[in-house]
Amino acid sequence: MLRYFLSRLLTFVPTFLGVTLISFAFIRVLPGDPIIAMAGERGVTPERYAELQEQFGFDRPLIVQFWDYFTGVLQGDLGQSFVTRKPVWDEFFTLFPATLELSTCAIILAVVLGLPAGVIAATHRGKLFDRLLMSSALVGYSMPIFWWALLLIIVFSGNLGWTPVSGRIDLLYYFPNVTGFMLIDSLLSGQSGAFGSAVKHLILPSIVLATIPLAVIARQTRSAMLEVLSEDYIRTARAKGLAPARVNGLHALRNAMIPVVTVIGLMVGTLLAGAILTETIFSWPGIGKWMVDSIFRRDYPVVQGGLLLVAVMVMVVNLIVDLLYGLINPKIRKR
Amino acid sequence: MADTTLSATVPARPGRLREFWRYFRENRGAVIGLYVFAAFVALALFANFIAPYDPTVQNRAATLLPPAWQEGGDWAYPLGTDPLGRDMLSRLLFGARFSFFVGLVVVIIASTSGILIGLIAGFAPKWLDTIIMRIMDIILSFPSLLLALVLVAILGPSLVNAMIAIAIVLQPHYVRLTRAAVMTERAKDYVISAKVAGAKLPRLMFITVLPNCLAPIIVQAALSFSNAILDVAALGFLGMGAQPPTPEWGTMLAEAREFILRAWWVVTFPGLAILITVLAINLMGDGLRDALDPKLKRS
């Protein structure tokens, strides 16, 4: 087990180096000069250009620049934003709780609905419920979520007026940022109605972001359950006369959970990609919107740092999933 | 079944295509998907004959006209008009061209390069294999849409660059699949006997092994076809794909965003077109998987 642990950790190192190199290379090597881009339509005089190059260190050899960047990254220094002049790291951590809050709600929604749906579909295989559920799962899986978000806004914000269109909370409420999670902060503030407002703002974005994970979890749970249900030990359990609920719930579900948990773990990338679209549409001040805005403002240090942080997040979660998987399933360790 | 009673009188095995069709037909959803897909392809191909108007021509006298069946609608514009007075139906029809074109090109680029790299990794010495797979791991660490978005931002927003970016993002999946298939095939007797018979490496790679690895790759191709359409539409929606006035579905949605509470049809139809296309392809993909790769069969 320790060997498996170490070998997985070891592969993390080159991948991390590569991810850093790619986020670095994107900005410096590919066509497009960051200084010209920053200056925009106004243009820049040759003297000022040279000055700026020196200021940002763009005049030094690429390898030196990369080394500086890499050592900086290891010390938690990702440079500072061209626009706000604040360190990229600080900006990321101010905005990250918003994305975390939204993603957590989305994944909870997806698991709470998707898991039972998949189990019921598997135990009622071929019945009407199964077919309905699998068709809707396929629709959810095929959904362009940016359009889905607009439709929900039309119906629930436009026609029914139930939910707000954008933001995290009504401007009416103001309270100090304690945890960065609006749901917790609004409760801590003790202002009446603040929590309700935060919840209302969270509903539509969570539904949108949960759509694809929900479909994937439901499909995965169903197929994992079907596979387990055809095993001999399930037949034995049934033959012993155990109640169906006990067979399905205890014997089958527990074993079917292994692939399902893996899929949930590997969904981080999907969630973050979805957050880009969801946050942009609902003006949700998280890292997805931050990245898109920075791309449009050509704020290169932010794009670079954000790309790196997001990739590292995905890598860390994948690593954890891998290690947990090795822990649960001894077969995998031998590879 | 008949294969077990082989004798001189057994009729020839039905053609591969026939056999494939027999299995594919069993999945009703897949057949529906195929018909819808074929219909959309036909609409896209003949868009310039079917479409009542030029998709970019503006009619200032008829802006934001609702669909014909709604009050205030006009049968001259069956699905209504957009904020600039362009015919929605014509724009949707021409938009289908972009989506299918994008899907096709992305799949071709991603699959050929991915299969090639995967074959090399599968046959290469261990160190090269490790390097290739690490690089693929690195690409897969980035959420695909984010990576495509940054690539397009650097290359400059356009449909072509969006296609390149998405092809790069989708290609590691082919590499992984091909390599895994090659690894299992390589150890089999028929490959070893071909090697013993003196087959050179290129022949081994492309003629002996590759055809036997194709089933999962074809299924992946259907999947990435729909992913490509979704991602290009998403990039268009974010303003980083096709640029206005191109009637690309995602770009149309982006242009329509500010009118969502006033004119539902400018938002509803382009998205519905994306959904139906992607759904049809995914249905087909399920059928393909059942027919080509019975081991992967879901239920």
Side-chain angles (χ1 to χ4, degrees), chain A residues 11 14-15 18-19 22-23 26-27 30-31 125 131 134 138-139 141-144 146-147 150-151 153-154 157-158 219 222-223 226 269 272-273 276-277 280-281 291-292 295-296 298 300 303 307-308 310-311 314-315, chain B residues 28 134 137-147 149-151 153-157 223 227 230 233-234 237-240 250 253 257 260-261 264 267-272 274-275 278-279 282-283 286 289 298-299:
Chain A
T11 60
T15 318
V19 165
I22 285 195
S23 11
F26 266 171
I27 312 300
L30 289 172
R125 183 179 171 190
R131 275 184 289 170
M134 283 305 110
L138 198 65
V139 173
Y141 183 70
S142 312
M143 186 64 82
F146 45 99
W147 174 67
L150 296 179
L151 279 193
I153 290 179
I154 293 182
S157 307
R219 272 166 72 115
R222 176 179 180 271
S223 65
L226 282 179
L272 287 169
I276 294 172
L277 292 165
T280 309
I281 293 169
M291 290 290 295
V292 172
I295 286 170
F296 275 103
R298 305 210 161 260
Y300 287 120
V303 176
L307 199 60
L308 178 64
V310 167
V314 174
M315 278 164 53
Chain B
R28 204 154 31 117
R134 269 303 91 71
D137 281 353
I138 292 167
I139 300 179
L140 285 172
S141 301
F142 297 99
S144 59
L145 185 65
L146 182 62
L147 191 60
L149 197 61
V150 174
L151 270 173
I154 294 163
L155 299 171
L223 254 179
N227 269 336
L230 273 180
F237 180 74
L238 291 171
M240 284 288 176
L253 273 176
R257 250 183 89 179
I260 56 170
L261 295 181
W264 60 269
V267 179
T268 310
F269 293 132
L272 202 59
I274 302 174
L275 176 63
V278 173
L279 189 59
N282 283 343
L283 278 170
D286 275 3
R289 187 193 47 208
R298 202 160 20 101
S299 43

